[in-house]
Amino acid sequence: MNILHICSDYPYTQIYYQLLNNFSKKHNHIMYVPLNKSDTYDGKYDNIGENALIYSRDFTKKDRWFYKKKINKILKSIYKQTFINRCDFVHAHYLFSAGGVAYRLKKERNIDYIVAVRNTDLNFFFKYGLHLRTYAIKILEAANKIIFISPTYQNRMLEKYVPKRLYEDILKKSLIIPNGIDDYWHNNIFERTEVLNNDDVELLFVGEFTKNKNIPTIIKTVLMLRAEGIKARLTLVGDGSSSKEIDHLVENNLSIIKRFNWITSKDALKEIYRKAHIFIMPSINETFGLVYIEAISQGLPLIYTRNQGIDGYFTDGQVGYACDPNNVQEIVSNIVRIMNNYCAISKRCCNLVKDFSWHKISQRYELIYESFYTDKHFHK
């Protein structure tokens, strides 16, 4: 079976590289990457074994403002490739860009497809591209399956953008398949046995230093915990546009806050995780956030944002608690709840992280490809 993947974001994140490298050898995978003529990439994800990787530079920055023109250019480029004549299935890794191409391929070549709905689809194209919404619904209608990385994304799209007449049909063919984390974290799961008390609570944040990540609220949380008699401390790992503001806040609280720049060594980051007790990242807006999953691999219960990112994938209290990112008192209360049930929550973290193995995730996708391929050929 020959599966065509379409993903313009391929060179910039390890997600799709990990997926390709964890597929079995049963099928042939072709990763087609439509890039802007001026885009650059470092090639660190180019080694994908026996799978094929094709970069195409057939559109310009101006084309992004002319959606159907861009789709036509990418489609024309694909038709020039010989692989299209033996393509059995398409995996479109984004709804609007890749999904638009997959939709045309199904109409013109009768090639089935699945399509993923991701952060930029919901928070940019659906939100601001009002003129594209009708076409996006057609893409969803024609897809064999629709993939969401979290229940939050699925609920938001169904409630806000899908017409009521199509709600049930779209829901029936929707699946939640998360992204995975590197095998390093699965091979180094850390189970905890300690009991937390008021004299020792280490909070940890790992991420970009931006306004969206809400770090001043995390610092206020630590100060409130201490005011309530809980000797909390905080470690911040990262960098970004708000670094100066964060550094100033850290300087005023040096006795209780440690600050590190980005840590690229997995071994060093692992040790940071293991010295902490609770991972806290109550972002204003959040994608799935694989750093949360790395944290639970180290037995760290989570504080995360309600109706964002991983919320909905876990039930409240399962691996931590969702909160209003602007409500310091609620965050403090949820940290206390974690402390009161620390061992049980930490143990669940280690057990549930197994769902985020790229090997398991790739197997789920292969079953989807094969089910539609088998069904289609059985009815010929």
Side-chain angles (χ1 to χ4, degrees):
M1 186 175 180
N2 299 299
I3 298 104
L4 170 64
H5 299 258
I6 306 173
C7 181
S8 58
D9 210 30
Y10 176 83
Y12 308 113
T13 171
Q14 66 167 323
I15 290 172
Y16 313 104
Y17 171 81
Q18 290 279 12
L19 181 62
L20 284 179
N21 278 287
N22 278 277
F23 281 128
S24 69
K25 305 298 182 184
K26 292 188 294 183
H27 309 298
N28 300 311
H29 296 271
I30 303 157
M31 176 58 75
Y32 187 83
V33 187
L35 293 176
N36 188 305
K37 289 182 178 179
S38 61
D39 286 341
T40 59
Y41 59 94
D42 58 16
K44 63 181 176 180
Y45 301 128
D46 284 4
N47 182 18
I48 55 174
E50 296 176 5
N51 298 309
L53 177 61
I54 298 173
Y55 289 106
S56 172
R57 296 181 179 276
D58 290 296
F59 65 94
T60 65
K61 284 184 178 179
K62 289 182 180 179
D63 291 330
R64 67 179 299 186
W65 302 110
F66 302 96
Y67 175 73
K68 291 192 176 179
K69 181 179 179 182
K70 177 182 174 181
I71 298 301
N72 285 336
K73 283 191 172 184
I74 295 172
L75 196 65
K76 187 176 179 180
S77 173
I78 288 175
Y79 281 155
K80 290 179 182 177
Q81 306 287 339
T82 56
F83 66 73
I84 193 60
N85 296 320
R86 49 190 172 82
C87 177
D88 299 304
F89 201 84
V90 174
H91 185 156
H93 289 273
Y94 283 84
L95 172 60
F96 281 85
S97 53
V101 178
Y103 174 73
R104 290 281 301 278
L105 285 170
K106 184 165 187 175
K107 292 294 182 184
E108 297 172 18
R109 295 288 184 102
N110 194 29
I111 304 173
D112 288 331
Y113 67 93
I114 62 173
V115 62
V117 179
R118 296 190 176 272
N119 179 46
T120 52
D121 294 315
L122 283 170
N123 294 325
F124 181 78
F125 287 106
F126 261 125
K127 190 173 182 179
Y128 301 110
L130 304 184
H131 61 296
L132 298 177
R133 287 183 185 178
T134 301
Y135 199 74
I137 298 302
K138 288 182 179 180
I139 297 170
L140 295 172
E141 278 189 275
N144 295 76
K145 287 290 182 184
I146 303 160
I147 310 298
F148 298 90
I149 60 172
S150 77
T152 299
Y153 281 19
Q154 182 189 50
N155 293 338
R156 196 185 309 170
M157 196 199 72
L158 286 169
E159 298 298 334
K160 291 186 70 173
Y161 302 116
V162 173
K164 288 183 180 179
R165 63 182 176 83
L166 297 174
Y167 186 97
E168 289 299 326
D169 288 339
I170 298 296
L171 179 61
K172 282 178 185 176
K173 58 182 178 180
S174 294
L175 293 172
I176 309 295
I177 303 181
N179 293 327
I181 54 173
D182 193 279
D183 283 347
Y184 175 89
W185 302 106
H186 291 286
N187 296 332
N188 289 279
I189 290 173
F190 186 60
E191 297 185 1
R192 297 165 183 263
T193 56
E194 72 259 54
V195 176
L196 285 193
N197 58 62
N198 290 356
D199 294 328
D200 182 27
V201 180
E202 293 278 354
L203 304 181
L204 173 64
F205 167 90
V206 179
E208 289 185 302
F209 288 12
T210 62
K211 288 184 178 180
N212 181 57
K213 293 299 183 181
N214 205 22
I215 298 172
T217 295
I218 299 175
I219 294 173
K220 289 176 185 176
T221 298
V222 176
L223 296 175
M224 184 178 287
L225 284 166
R226 294 183 72 85
E228 295 186 5
I230 298 171
K231 293 181 181 178
R233 292 180 295 274
L234 172 65
T235 298
L236 300 170
V237 179
D239 207 349
S241 58
S242 296
S243 288
K244 287 185 179 179
E245 177 193 356
I246 303 308
D247 288 342
H248 178 69
L249 294 172
V250 170
E251 286 169 9
N252 292 334
N253 296 279
L254 286 173
S255 62
I256 59 172
I257 304 176
K258 294 179 183 177
R259 193 264 204 236
F260 297 92
N261 287 324
W262 288 113
I263 297 174
T264 56
S265 164
K266 291 186 179 70
D267 287 334
L269 185 57
K270 178 186 70 178
E271 294 310 310
I272 294 283
Y273 280 130
R274 291 185 177 184
K275 288 176 182 176
H277 298 121
I278 297 170
F279 185 86
I280 179 168
M281 193 164 74
S283 308
I284 306 301
N285 295 296
E286 188 57 77
T287 60
F288 192 75
L290 290 178
V291 67
Y292 292 116
I293 311 305
E294 290 178 5
I296 67 171
S297 80
Q298 301 306 297
L300 285 177
L302 308 175
I303 295 291
Y304 52 94
T305 304
R306 187 174 293 114
N307 298 322
Q308 293 287 332
I310 65 168
D311 187 30
Y313 196 90
F314 303 106
T315 58
D316 217 30
Q318 195 172 24
V319 298
Y321 291 95
C323 62
D324 176 346
N326 298 309
N327 189 332
V328 176
Q329 183 61 65
E330 183 186 13
I331 297 172
V332 167
S333 297
N334 283 337
I335 288 172
V336 173
R337 293 169 80 186
I338 288 173
M339 292 173 62
N340 291 337
N341 197 25
Y342 188 76
C343 289
I345 296 174
S346 179
K347 185 176 181 179
R348 284 196 293 269
C349 289
C350 294
N351 290 333
L352 290 168
V353 76
K354 295 167 186 174
D355 291 340
F356 300 89
S357 153
W358 277 115
H359 177 67
K360 282 188 175 182
I361 291 166
S362 65
Q363 284 184 323
R364 290 186 67 184
Y365 278 117
E366 286 190 327
L367 287 173
I368 295 170
Y369 306 150
E370 290 165 3
S371 66
F372 287 104
Y373 179 78
T374 303
D375 184 64
K376 188 173 184 177
H377 284 260
F378 178 80
H379 288 98
K380 272 191 174 181

